Amino acid sequence: AIILALLYEWVERKFKARLQNRIGPLYTGWHGILQPFADIIKLWSKEDIVPAEADKTMFTIAPMLALASQLISFLIIPVVSVYALVHFEGDLALLAFLSTVYLIAAGIGGLSSNNRFSAIGAGRSIIQHVGYEIPLLFIYASAAFIARSWSLSKIVEYQVKTGVPLIAFLGIGFGISIISLLAFIERIPFDIPEAETEIVAGWLTEFSGKKYAFFWLADDVQLLVGAGITAALFLGGPCGPVPGIPIVDEILYVIYFIIKTVVIVLILASIEASSARYKITQAVSGFWKYLTPLSILQLLIVFALRLYGVI
């Protein structure tokens, strides 16, 4: 998961660079493909500084908690089969909970730093999460209602059996999920919790060395997990239009998974490269005024489709 996440970081950086008339990573490996790996190695070799006034226990736990929550999330996403390595009824709700665990880690990291900029960043992260989580849960509920299951694997299985990806019924939901995913991974225009022009690096300000490397890896795995969930909910996960041969099924599943998630990463990078940062008030009011009513509308559309026997 970590290797794939670092490769996705390279794809994202190269694509955004091209959109902004830059080159991006170039020298480390083929077209700079090893640059994310080099960055992590460099961070691991740097001095690990803990502020004198910080809560050292919480300051140390936060990065590990952030990375662990995302690695566990990846186990619930179907990659080499219709069914994930860990799947059960209600695992979609667990994924929503684990995203909150990452938020808790960010909050702990910011508040335990004993730095005013970190505290502001942590507060912004919590407020932003509250804003996008409600509409996103409505979209999860819409997908679960169609597939008659709160299991991500069962939702993928439903799309395979019917031969119709849920994006056909959840077009509004797909758009909301993309916007919410940008807020979840705190990328432009929703990088408000770590706005470098306002609060240095937000809740990450005091982290360095190995601890910062843990957060860096958690951020990359977070991108992979978010893209994986979106692909599973709307695009059939790792399943493709061509049935696989039993011997090479797993290879085809991985190929389809990578293609779909890379497309989602490129969509995210396109929005990020062409947008400006919102204020926290603009972001939260936008989530509540627009995304929440639209997500409720999407759920009502699903109810209507179910009522008239379309799904």
Side-chain angles (χ1 to χ4, degrees), residues 288-310:
W288 283 100
K289 287 182 180 179
Y290 303 109
L291 290 197
T292 300
L294 283 173
S295 64
I296 295 173
L297 174 62
Q298 177 69 91
L299 188 58
L300 292 175
I301 291 173
V302 169
F303 284 156
L305 292 174
R306 179 77 176 276
L307 181 64
Y308 289 100
V310 178

Side-chain angles (χ1 to χ4, degrees), residues 76-260:
I76 305 173
I77 299 172
V79 178
V80 297
S81 170
V82 173
Y83 292 98
L85 186 63
V86 176
H87 63 276
F88 53 89
E89 189 58 47
D91 58 32
L92 190 57
L94 177 59
L95 284 171
F97 168 74
L98 288 171
S99 72
T100 304
V101 172
Y102 181 90
L103 170 74
I104 292 171
I108 290 173
L111 295 175
S112 66
S113 299
N114 196 29
N115 178 298
R116 67 183 69 183
F117 300 117
S118 298
I120 293 172
R124 287 183 176 184
S125 186
I126 293 169
I127 293 170
Q128 181 166 281
H129 182 84
V130 172
Y132 73 79
E133 187 177 41
I134 299 301
L136 187 60
L137 287 175
F138 276 122
I139 300 306
Y140 284 1
S142 298
F145 188 74
I146 293 174
R148 298 161 179 79
S149 174
W150 273 88
S151 169
L152 191 61
S153 296
K154 291 289 182 64
I155 292 173
V156 172
E157 183 184 36
Y158 173 86
Q159 295 173 80
V160 173
K161 287 182 177 179
T162 60
V164 180
L166 289 190
I167 193 173
F169 306 111
L170 301 176
I172 297 174
F174 180 74
I176 292 173
S177 294
I178 290 294
I179 295 172
S180 299
L181 180 53
L182 278 168
F184 174 52
I185 61 179
E186 297 181 358
R187 303 291 173 86
I188 296 173
F190 304 113
D191 64 331
I192 309 159
E194 45 187 289
E196 74 283 351
T197 56
E198 302 168 23
I199 49 174
V200 192
W203 53 270
L204 284 168
T205 298
E206 295 291 354
F207 286 94
S208 60
K210 298 180 181 63
K211 294 182 179 64
Y212 186 76
F214 272 110
F215 272 125
W216 184 302
L217 285 173
D219 182 67
D220 285 343
V221 178
Q222 192 180 33
L223 174 63
L224 172 62
V225 166
I229 294 172
T230 305
L233 283 176
F234 302 100
L235 304 176
C239 302
V242 180
I245 303 169
I247 301 177
V248 296
D249 247 351
E250 289 79 8
I251 298 174
L252 286 175
Y253 281 135
V254 172
I255 291 173
Y256 288 135
F257 175 82
I258 291 175
I259 290 173
K260 292 176 183 180

